[in-house]
Amino acid sequence: MPTHYRFKLGEFEVTNILDAGAVIDGPWPIVGQDRPQAEIEELMRQSLLPESKFQPGFTPTIVNTGKRLILFDTGNGADGFVPRPHGGWLANLLDSAGFAAEQIDLVVLTHAHPDHIGGLMEGGEPLFPNARYVIGDAEFDFWSSEDRLAAAPDDNEHMSARLFATNVAPLAERISFIKPGDEVAPGIHAVEAYGHTPGHLAFHIESQGKQLFVWGDCAHHEVASLAHPEWHAFFDMDKAKGAETRRRIYDMVATDRLPVAGYHTSFPSLGFVEKKDGGYRWLPISYQLNL
């Protein structure tokens, strides 16, 4: 199976790298937590997909602007949602994709769940020793609170907070805190995508009129999440806000015909969105980005 995918975006070069290949239970209740399990399974059957197993993407994106190497999210690392050997591949796959960890200039975090911040550290040391970091100020403030550790030890909030304390908080002096609308680098701007986490951000990238939208966790399954954006997502911390954000983001990228880097869609985790039957449909890329 290919583990990286590269294309040109104006003057930029974009590379998606696969961080995990695990097959897990689902998509219910990860998608459709508020719906009967049979309803999601029927949608999978109609879509010619397995009813109770799926293989989500875990796909960090590297943008080479010509002046900087910018990494969006860092995968699972050793202690993420999909630990090694089934996940946490980014560190070992950088070389085969043509990069060294020391070359990364900027690491941008969409949010602070374990499968996005797990790859920040390797053996207790920053994997990207020369990088600076970017995260939403609301996201950093939320996970910095000791209240997060008050959740049950097996709760996703507690696990995220524990990993945040070891992987993100020690980097605070090298972090820039941003708000929606802020420019991360020339041609790259943050977009509000709250709900999945309190400070979840997406990013709009443009070079020479070519555009790409990096949406983080605005979808956990390329069929179920898009067909029914109103269905609750298990990992959304604010279910109603997450649903509202999905519909807004899907409508925007469908209307503007933007290619999307969808972290959890099937690798290479790139596609377009179209409006369909009151919901939306994910259209995986074929040759559009080669032209």
Side-chain angles (χ1 to χ4, degrees):
M1 180 170 60
T3 55
H4 74 271
Y5 183 95
R6 180 173 290 125
F7 62 97
K8 294 287 288 184
L9 189 79
E11 291 185 329
F12 296 173
E13 182 184 76
V14 181
T15 305
N16 276 8
I17 299 179
L18 182 63
D19 183 71
V23 175
I24 64 176
D25 293 338
W28 185 91
I30 295 173
V31 179
Q33 182 186 14
D34 59 329
R35 307 302 302 166
Q37 181 175 352
E39 188 173 349
I40 287 74
E41 291 181 348
E42 175 61 17
L43 176 62
M44 295 302 99
R45 190 188 68 79
Q46 292 174 0
S47 303
L48 302 179
L49 291 169
E51 295 178 9
S52 58
K53 295 285 184 182
F54 78 118
Q55 188 175 29
F58 293 85
T59 310
T61 295
I62 294 178
V63 176
N64 184 349
T65 70
K67 295 182 177 179
R68 298 184 191 177
L69 281 180
I70 303 173
L71 169 65
F72 290 84
D73 290 329
T74 68
N76 291 274
D79 301 305
F81 181 72
V82 181
R84 292 167 180 154
H86 303 293
W89 297 347
L90 177 65
N92 287 332
L93 291 178
L94 284 169
D95 182 68
S96 62
F99 304 103
E102 294 77 14
Q103 293 178 301
I104 301 297
D105 298 298
L106 188 65
V107 176
V108 180
L109 300 172
T110 61
H111 64 297
H113 277 164
D115 51 326
H116 297 258
I117 65 171
L120 283 167
M121 295 286 182
E122 191 70 29
E125 298 293 331
L127 177 60
F128 310 103
N130 300 315
R132 293 195 59 81
Y133 304 85
V134 167
I135 191 172
D137 55 0
E139 186 75 357
F140 188 88
D141 290 346
F142 178 81
W143 293 108
S144 295
S145 171
E146 292 184 2
D147 293 346
R148 305 286 78 79
L149 291 170
D154 60 347
D155 186 274
N156 187 55
E157 182 172 329
H158 181 93
M159 291 187 287
S160 297
R162 192 172 65 243
L163 197 59
F164 179 91
T166 60
N167 283 23
V168 182
L171 302 171
E173 292 184 356
R174 296 161 64 183
I175 295 177
S176 296
F177 304 102
I178 61 171
K179 300 180 184 296
D182 285 353
E183 184 179 73
V184 172
I188 303 176
H189 293 83
V191 177
E192 186 258 292
Y194 299 164
H196 180 59
T197 61
H200 182 265
L201 295 174
F203 294 89
H204 183 276
I205 301 172
E206 183 169 357
S207 174
Q208 294 184 326
K210 299 292 186 179
Q211 301 175 71
L212 176 70
F213 195 76
V214 175
W215 74 16
D217 280 11
C218 286
H220 290 88
H221 189 275
E222 60 256 46
V223 172
S225 295
L226 280 91
H228 291 279
E230 77 280 5
W231 283 356
H232 286 182
F234 179 86
F235 290 109
D236 279 1
M237 303 189 77
D238 183 331
K239 310 296 185 188
K241 184 65 175 176
E244 176 189 310
T245 291
R246 280 189 293 279
R247 189 170 290 280
R248 171 172 55 84
I249 294 295
Y250 298 166
D251 190 75
M252 180 190 70
V253 297
T255 299
D256 295 345
R257 301 172 67 91
L258 295 180
V260 173
Y263 191 83
H264 286 302
T265 59
S266 296
F267 193 76
S269 307
L270 293 162
F272 291 83
V273 173
E274 70 167 350
K275 298 178 183 180
K276 184 175 176 63
D277 300 332
Y280 301 86
R281 185 167 72 130
W282 177 257
L283 300 172
I285 55 101
S286 53
Y287 56 83
Q288 299 100 316
L289 301 179
N290 299 334
L291 304 178

